[in-house]
Amino acid sequence: ATTEIYTLSLHDALPIYYFIEGPDGRLRITPGISPENFTPIGLVASDTAFDLAVARETFTVLASLGKQFGSPGTDIERWQKILESLPEYRVNEDGALAEWLTPRFKDVYNHRHSSHLYGLFPGFELRGPDADPRLLPAVREAVARRLAFDTPSGHGLIHLALMAARIRDSEEVLLQLDRLSRRRYFHAGFVSSHDRDLLCYNLDASLSLPRVLMEALVFSVPGRIELMPAWHERLGAEGRISGILAAGGFTLDLEWRNGKLAGVAIAARRDGETAVIYGDRRRKVSLKAGETIRLDADLQAKD
């Protein structure tokens, strides 16, 4: 049986994206793609971890927003059923999160794309507080095997740095940014090149570099704010940044010295509460709209 859920189409009469119900009742995603990685049958295959991660995020968001904004119950039930029918991620023989859900296709680690780790970045499924603990070692192994190789592309280095930030690996964040800074990826106007030595105009690195620094300084999801999870002292031993927007409607002004947190001011734009985490320290913060709390390096309130 073929279940058409949503369709991406080049022409009204040519749907090209389907979920197909397999014999086990799970939905298979076909056709699918893991960018630039070829399988023995070509570039287009099926059941990629990339597609699965995007599908899981899409229907999780739909179900959540549907409840929040009063969508019809039948729609919410349908989205939830699709979510529950999606296949599981696969862990390969190396103990890494696999790029394809079928063991017929082998992982290629020496590659600039990390799209099968979408659930780690830019998604949150494999990084948030509700991440499946059984998958976390496989996620770290997949990132480590990608990080073991270099890449000539500026956006590839940025992507690796973002992955490293999400697993709190400040040394790897520093390594990727060091490579980026030494190889002439940037023109004088800070416009970036796709390849080193300014060989190909491309804005990917220019537009993504600020995100790496933000991710190293603050990671947040609703109900959770982590301070300086992947900041390396060599990125700036002392500094201050204001106006960081965090999940839950909070704005942060952050200050650090000797590569460590010196203090943070958290302002609420609406009523809310969140856990603030720095290393092994944790504090629950509850604020009304317009209120601000200032915390020191031990997350203790200060005047």
Side-chain angles (χ1 to χ4, degrees):
T2 299
T3 304
E4 183 181 339
I5 307 302
Y6 287 105
T7 328
L8 298 178
S9 176
L10 301 178
H11 185 276
D12 290 344
L14 184 64
I16 61 172
Y17 194 89
Y18 290 92
F19 288 162
I20 299 175
E21 188 175 284
D24 59 356
R26 293 281 186 176
L27 296 177
R28 320 311 298 186
I29 304 174
T30 183
I33 187 171
S34 204
E36 296 186 17
N37 256 348
F38 288 81
T39 72
I41 64 173
L43 178 61
V44 177
S46 64
D47 287 339
T48 70
F50 179 34
D51 291 325
L52 173 60
V54 173
R56 292 179 68 89
E57 179 180 77
T58 298
F59 290 103
T60 297
V61 170
L62 280 173
S64 175
L65 293 181
K67 294 174 183 177
Q68 182 178 349
F69 294 105
S71 294
T74 52
D75 285 348
I76 296 174
E77 289 175 10
R78 177 169 174 257
W79 298 329
Q80 191 64 42
K81 182 178 180 181
I82 293 169
L83 184 60
E84 293 169 356
S85 299
L86 291 172
E88 300 293 330
Y89 291 103
R90 183 174 69 88
V91 177
N92 67 19
E93 62 274 12
D94 297 320
L97 191 79
E99 194 155 351
W100 293 274
L101 305 189
T102 172
R104 289 192 302 143
F105 303 148
K106 301 300 180 183
D107 285 83
V108 180
Y109 300 117
N110 187 6
H111 200 278
R112 68 181 185 174
H113 278 269
S114 307
S115 302
H116 63 306
L117 290 164
Y118 179 96
L120 177 66
F121 180 88
F124 298 95
E125 179 190 0
L126 301 176
R127 171 62 172 87
D130 298 325
D132 186 344
R134 297 171 299 177
L135 288 176
L136 297 184
V139 170
R140 295 188 70 89
E141 184 65 25
V143 175
R145 287 178 178 269
R146 274 292 201 273
L147 289 171
F149 296 95
D150 199 350
T151 174
S153 67
H155 79 77
L157 293 173
I158 289 284
H159 206 168
L160 290 175
L162 286 163
M163 295 290 174
R166 284 284 171 98
I167 62 170
R168 308 179 184 90
D169 192 333
S170 62
E171 292 291 341
E172 283 293 346
V173 172
L174 180 67
L175 174 61
Q176 306 311 321
L177 294 183
D178 184 70
R179 288 169 170 169
L180 192 73
S181 66
R182 292 177 185 273
R183 297 175 179 172
R184 298 186 68 229
Y185 283 102
F186 292 95
H187 294 268
F190 208 62
V191 171
S192 56
S193 169
H194 183 284
D195 301 306
R196 60 194 303 172
D197 295 325
L198 309 179
L199 291 181
C200 178
Y201 171 86
N202 180 270
L203 284 174
D204 288 355
S206 291
L207 298 176
S208 302
L209 180 56
R211 180 64 181 267
V212 176
L213 301 177
M214 290 294 184
E215 289 273 340
L217 285 170
V218 176
F219 171 81
S220 70
V221 292
R224 184 183 184 92
I225 297 173
E226 297 181 22
L227 304 176
M228 304 186 70
W231 189 258
H232 197 288
E233 183 178 2
R234 287 179 58 192
L235 293 175
E238 297 186 8
R240 178 182 177 85
I241 187 168
S242 300
I244 297 178
L245 300 181
F250 299 98
T251 301
L252 278 58
D253 295 345
L254 193 69
E255 186 175 1
W256 62 96
R257 301 189 196 97
N258 300 318
K260 307 294 183 183
L261 178 68
V264 60
I266 304 173
R269 293 182 293 157
R270 63 172 185 261
D271 296 355
E273 62 180 31
T274 188
V276 180
I277 298 164
Y278 175 59
D280 59 358
R281 298 158 215 174
R282 183 185 183 102
R283 180 190 180 102
K284 191 172 184 178
V285 169
S286 181
L287 296 173
K288 298 291 185 181
E291 290 183 342
T292 298
I293 186 172
R294 290 172 174 79
L295 305 177
D296 62 18
D298 294 317
L299 302 187
Q300 298 300 309
K302 58 181 183 180
D303 297 332

